[in-house]
Amino acid sequence: MQIYLPIAQISIDLLPLLGIGFAVGILSGMFGIGGGFIMTPILFFLGVPANIAVATQSSQLVGTAASGALVYYRQKAIDYRMGLILFAGGFFGTTLGVRVFAWLTSLGQIELFVSLAYIFLLTLIGTLMMWESYRVMRGQNSGAGFHEKLAWRHWPLQMRFPASRLEISTIPVFFIGAFVGFMAAILGVGGGFILVPAMIYLIGMPTKTVLGTSMFQIVLVTATATMMHATSTRAVDIVLAMVLIFGSVPGASLGAIMALRIPPVRIRMGLGLVIMAITIRLILDLTLEPSSLYSIGL
Amino acid sequence: MNIFRPLILLILLLAPCAAFAQNINEPTPQIYFDRSDSDVPLNITFNGQDILIYGAVENLGGLDPDIIIKITGPLDNYVIHKKSHRLGMWINTQSLTFRRVPSFLALFSDAPLDTIILPTEKIRHDIGFERSLPLRGFSAEIDEPEAFLNAFINLQKRKQKYVLDEDGVKIAGNILFSAHIPLAADIIEGTYTVEILLLGRGRVLASVTSDLPVYKSGIERWLFELSQNQGWLYGLLAIFMAVLVAYLMSQFMRLFQR
């Protein structure tokens, strides 16, 4: 069954879209991430134009992250103060990111840039995850506590974060937020996959507040990215976003149930493998000679 | 068999006219045609569409008729990128912009074009992909603009945006003709032009044109216009819908789990 996407102006098979929404939903429920970093490259492979995939992902993630954040809100596991400072940085980064996105699109280099950024980030995160789960499997410590060695904790503008029982400089928090916001705008991701490790390893937040705060700040960042894409690139496709949400929400519930039954190390190992596979595919697309040297620009 | 019903009707109506016309003056060749759809609405279930074009010709004075059907979509600008191997990667390095070229172009005929139309007539009536795509408006550093043009035509053919079928028009009894023209699933909206040429011995004896409107309908039209004209409102709607649908779906899943 086909569905016509009014903004993308293409007709696309409904079932693969729902299936991918569902599969990514499972991953997102299992790992507590939005899953945008997996969804966006898969949408490229399905033939959704890069600008539509990226802009639409932002709006889809608002919904998915909001329903996730609601769960943490009920458990009182959100550090709002931390979330708002991360978002202040995120707003700055998103504004910059949408500008850079529009500029690279006009140069015809957006696909190259997005692919390279993905390859860089996914390689980094995939390697870290595989390495960490390997260490945990061998009974070594997981790298938590690393943040205590970082000097930026003692920079000026110190602030107390009672919900996370932390006192830290707001400057690194702002810049982590800005980096994540930049990536959210350019890659169509919520940034949870960058933010969660950064909160644990770089800021030193306790596990209790990490996922809730990350979800909370992702709602704010992706909502900002949606508004900016809607008013500048005009590439947000509501129909595509709805289809993806329909698939991903049930997937996320199933993933959350599965997460309780599978040991976390296995889960992280699995996610590491998924990330590696996507990275390899992106690298091959970039380095193997394409079937046609010519392409029609966006 | 609803295809043939209008045809039979047409013949019955035309036969006396043709006879009458021949009696008074030197008759001019004529084309009469109709199509299966008067317009093409792009809605949520749109998945490409076949347009049936059918009709009849008369007053050929014993010539064997040939028919060319050309459908031209709205004009658009296209940027063509060419990749080169740099630093181990395939990167877009050259680009060329084609301005105001057809977004859709279908050429259907009853026999290979070169055998039924004279070169001069081909030029006069813009028959052939190259004819409709004048090379102009490109920057000077491009070495081979023709290569870009050919690549563009091939890419458009692969996407079913440019279609050439030299066996696509069926002619019956030297009078009736019909053709199925497929419109791709991702055609853009606008006014398409249907042009039918009646040929004999390589010359165009008669031609008719008609407009085929292709437009978004219903909620698709509304969403598209909102996104283009009121980005703020559209963005807020996108956020609201996303949150609402995700919330309802998750509540639904909770019911389902119990």
Side-chain angles (χ1 to χ4, degrees), chain A residues 36-75:
Chain A
F37 72 103
I38 302 173
M39 186 93 91
T40 307
I42 294 177
L43 289 177
F44 292 176
F45 300 149
L46 280 185
V48 176
N51 58 341
I52 302 283
V54 165
T56 302
Q57 271 289 285
S58 314
S59 74
Q60 182 237 323
L61 287 165
V62 181
T64 320
S67 72
L70 191 65
V71 176
Y72 294 104
Y73 162 78
R74 292 197 186 111
Q75 297 171 358

Coordinates of all heavy atoms in Angstrom, one line a residue, chain A residues 36-75:
Chain A
G36 N 16.6 8.6 16.3 CA 16.7 9.4 15.1 C 18.0 9.1 14.3 O 18.0 9.1 13.1
F37 N 19.1 8.8 15.0 CA 20.3 8.6 14.4 C 20.3 7.3 13.5 O 21.2 7.1 12.7 CB 21.5 8.6 15.4 CG 21.6 7.4 16.3 CD1 22.5 6.4 16.0 CD2 20.7 7.3 17.3 CE1 22.6 5.3 16.9 CE2 20.8 6.2 18.2 CZ 21.7 5.2 18.0
I38 N 19.4 6.4 13.8 CA 19.2 5.2 13.0 C 18.2 5.4 11.9 O 18.4 5.0 10.8 CB 18.8 4.0 13.9 CG1 19.9 3.7 15.0 CG2 18.7 2.7 13.0 CD1 19.4 2.7 16.0
M39 N 17.1 6.1 12.3 CA 16.0 6.3 11.4 C 16.4 7.2 10.2 O 16.0 6.8 9.1 CB 14.9 7.0 12.2 CG 13.6 7.2 11.4 SD 12.5 5.8 11.7 CE 11.5 6.4 13.1
T40 N 17.1 8.3 10.4 CA 17.4 9.2 9.3 C 18.2 8.5 8.2 O 17.8 8.6 7.1 CB 18.1 10.4 9.9 OG1 17.3 11.0 10.9 CG2 18.3 11.5 8.8
P41 N 19.3 7.8 8.5 CA 20.0 7.1 7.4 C 19.1 6.0 6.7 O 19.2 5.9 5.5 CB 21.2 6.4 8.1 CG 21.2 6.9 9.5 CD 20.0 7.7 9.8
I42 N 18.2 5.4 7.5 CA 17.4 4.4 6.8 C 16.4 5.0 5.9 O 16.1 4.6 4.8 CB 16.7 3.5 7.9 CG1 17.7 2.6 8.7 CG2 15.6 2.6 7.2 CD1 17.1 1.8 9.8
L43 N 15.9 6.2 6.3 CA 15.0 7.0 5.4 C 15.7 7.3 4.1 O 15.1 7.3 3.1 CB 14.4 8.2 6.1 CG 13.4 8.0 7.2 CD1 13.0 9.3 7.9 CD2 12.2 7.2 6.7
F44 N 17.0 7.7 4.2 CA 17.8 8.0 3.0 C 17.8 6.8 2.1 O 17.5 6.9 0.9 CB 19.2 8.3 3.3 CG 19.5 9.5 4.1 CD1 20.8 9.8 4.4 CD2 18.6 10.4 4.4 CE1 21.2 10.9 5.1 CE2 18.9 11.6 5.1 CZ 20.2 11.8 5.4
F45 N 18.0 5.6 2.7 CA 18.1 4.4 1.9 C 16.8 4.1 1.2 O 16.8 3.5 0.2 CB 18.6 3.2 2.8 CG 19.9 3.3 3.4 CD1 20.2 2.7 4.7 CD2 20.9 4.1 2.9 CE1 21.4 2.9 5.3 CE2 22.1 4.2 3.5 CZ 22.4 3.6 4.7
L46 N 15.7 4.4 1.9 CA 14.3 4.2 1.3 C 14.0 5.2 0.2 O 13.0 5.0 -0.4 CB 13.3 4.3 2.4 CG 13.0 3.1 3.3 CD1 11.9 3.4 4.2 CD2 12.8 1.8 2.5
G47 N 14.8 6.2 0.0 CA 14.6 7.1 -1.1 C 13.9 8.4 -0.6 O 13.5 9.2 -1.5
V48 N 13.7 8.6 0.7 CA 13.2 9.9 1.1 C 14.3 11.0 0.9 O 15.4 10.7 1.4 CB 12.7 9.9 2.6 CG1 12.3 11.2 3.1 CG2 11.7 8.8 2.8
P49 N 14.1 12.1 0.3 CA 15.1 13.1 0.1 C 15.7 13.5 1.5 O 15.0 13.6 2.5 CB 14.4 14.3 -0.6 CG 13.2 13.7 -1.2 CD 12.8 12.5 -0.3
A50 N 17.1 13.8 1.5 CA 17.8 14.0 2.7 C 17.1 15.2 3.5 O 17.0 15.1 4.7 CB 19.2 14.3 2.4
N51 N 16.8 16.3 2.8 CA 16.2 17.4 3.6 C 14.9 17.1 4.2 O 14.6 17.5 5.4 CB 16.1 18.6 2.7 CG 15.2 18.4 1.5 OD1 15.0 17.3 1.1 ND2 14.7 19.5 0.9
I52 N 14.1 16.3 3.6 CA 12.8 15.9 4.1 C 13.0 15.0 5.3 O 12.4 15.1 6.4 CB 11.9 15.2 3.1 CG1 11.7 16.1 1.9 CG2 10.6 14.7 3.7 CD1 10.6 17.1 2.0
A53 N 13.9 14.0 5.2 CA 14.2 13.0 6.2 C 14.6 13.7 7.5 O 14.1 13.5 8.6 CB 15.2 12.0 5.8
V54 N 15.5 14.7 7.3 CA 16.1 15.3 8.5 C 15.1 16.2 9.2 O 14.8 16.2 10.4 CB 17.3 16.2 8.1 CG1 17.7 17.2 9.1 CG2 18.5 15.2 7.7
A55 N 14.4 17.1 8.4 CA 13.4 18.0 9.0 C 12.2 17.3 9.6 O 11.8 17.6 10.7 CB 12.9 19.0 7.9
T56 N 11.8 16.2 9.0 CA 10.6 15.5 9.5 C 10.9 14.7 10.7 O 10.1 14.6 11.7 CB 10.1 14.5 8.4 OG1 9.8 15.2 7.2 CG2 8.9 13.7 8.9
Q57 N 12.2 14.2 10.8 CA 12.6 13.5 12.0 C 12.5 14.4 13.2 O 12.1 13.9 14.3 CB 14.1 13.1 11.8 CG 14.2 11.7 11.2 CD 13.8 10.7 12.1 OE1 14.5 10.3 13.1 NE2 12.6 10.2 11.9
S58 N 12.8 15.6 13.1 CA 12.7 16.5 14.2 C 11.3 16.5 14.8 O 11.1 16.4 16.0 CB 13.1 18.0 13.8 OG 14.2 18.0 13.1
S59 N 10.3 16.6 13.9 CA 8.9 16.7 14.4 C 8.5 15.4 14.9 O 7.7 15.3 15.9 CB 8.0 17.2 13.3 OG 7.7 16.2 12.4
Q60 N 8.9 14.3 14.3 CA 8.5 13.0 14.8 C 9.1 12.8 16.3 O 8.4 12.3 17.1 CB 9.0 11.9 13.9 CG 8.6 10.5 14.4 CD 9.8 9.6 14.6 OE1 10.8 9.6 13.9 NE2 9.7 8.7 15.6
L61 N 10.3 13.2 16.4 CA 11.0 13.0 17.7 C 10.3 13.8 18.9 O 10.4 13.4 20.0 CB 12.5 13.4 17.6 CG 13.3 12.3 16.9 CD1 14.6 12.9 16.5 CD2 13.4 11.1 17.7
V62 N 9.7 15.0 18.5 CA 9.0 15.8 19.5 C 8.0 14.9 20.2 O 7.9 14.8 21.4 CB 8.3 17.0 19.0 CG1 7.6 17.8 20.1 CG2 9.3 17.9 18.2
G63 N 7.2 14.2 19.3 CA 6.1 13.3 19.8 C 6.7 12.1 20.6 O 6.3 11.9 21.8
T64 N 7.7 11.4 20.0 CA 8.2 10.2 20.7 C 8.8 10.6 22.0 O 8.6 10.0 23.1 CB 9.2 9.5 19.8 OG1 8.7 9.6 18.5 CG2 9.4 8.1 20.2
A65 N 9.6 11.7 22.0 CA 10.3 12.1 23.2 C 9.3 12.6 24.3 O 9.5 12.4 25.5 CB 11.4 13.2 22.9
A66 N 8.3 13.3 23.8 CA 7.3 13.8 24.8 C 6.6 12.7 25.5 O 6.4 12.7 26.8 CB 6.2 14.7 24.1
S67 N 6.2 11.6 24.8 CA 5.6 10.5 25.5 C 6.5 9.8 26.4 O 6.1 9.3 27.4 CB 4.9 9.6 24.5 OG 5.8 8.8 23.8
G68 N 7.8 9.8 26.0 CA 8.8 9.2 26.9 C 9.0 10.1 28.2 O 9.1 9.6 29.3
A69 N 9.1 11.4 27.9 CA 9.4 12.3 29.1 C 8.2 12.3 30.1 O 8.5 12.4 31.3 CB 9.5 13.8 28.5
L70 N 7.0 12.0 29.6 CA 5.8 11.9 30.5 C 6.0 10.8 31.5 O 5.7 11.0 32.7 CB 4.6 11.6 29.6 CG 3.3 11.7 30.3 CD1 3.0 13.2 30.7 CD2 2.2 11.2 29.4
V71 N 6.6 9.7 31.1 CA 6.9 8.6 32.0 C 7.8 9.0 33.1 O 7.6 8.8 34.3 CB 7.4 7.4 31.2 CG1 7.8 6.2 32.2 CG2 6.5 6.9 30.1
Y72 N 8.9 9.7 32.7 CA 9.9 10.2 33.7 C 9.4 11.3 34.6 O 9.7 11.4 35.7 CB 11.2 10.6 33.0 CG 11.9 9.5 32.3 CD1 11.8 9.4 30.9 CD2 12.6 8.6 33.0 CE1 12.4 8.3 30.2 CE2 13.2 7.5 32.3 CZ 13.1 7.4 31.0 OH 13.8 6.4 30.3
Y73 N 8.4 12.1 34.0 CA 7.8 13.1 34.8 C 7.0 12.5 35.9 O 7.1 13.0 37.1 CB 6.9 14.0 33.9 CG 5.9 14.8 34.6 CD1 6.3 16.0 35.2 CD2 4.6 14.4 34.7 CE1 5.3 16.8 35.9 CE2 3.6 15.2 35.4 CZ 4.0 16.4 36.0 OH 3.1 17.1 36.7
R74 N 6.3 11.4 35.6 CA 5.5 10.7 36.7 C 6.4 10.1 37.7 O 6.1 10.1 38.9 CB 4.7 9.6 36.0 CG 3.6 10.1 35.2 CD 2.5 9.0 34.9 NE 1.5 9.5 34.0 CZ 1.4 8.9 32.7 NH1 2.2 8.0 32.3 NH2 0.5 9.4 31.9
Q75 N 7.7 9.7 37.3 CA 8.6 9.1 38.3 C 9.5 10.2 39.0 O 10.4 9.9 39.7 CB 9.5 8.2 37.6 CG 8.8 7.0 37.0 CD 9.8 6.1 36.1 OE1 10.9 6.5 35.9 NE2 9.2 5.0 35.6

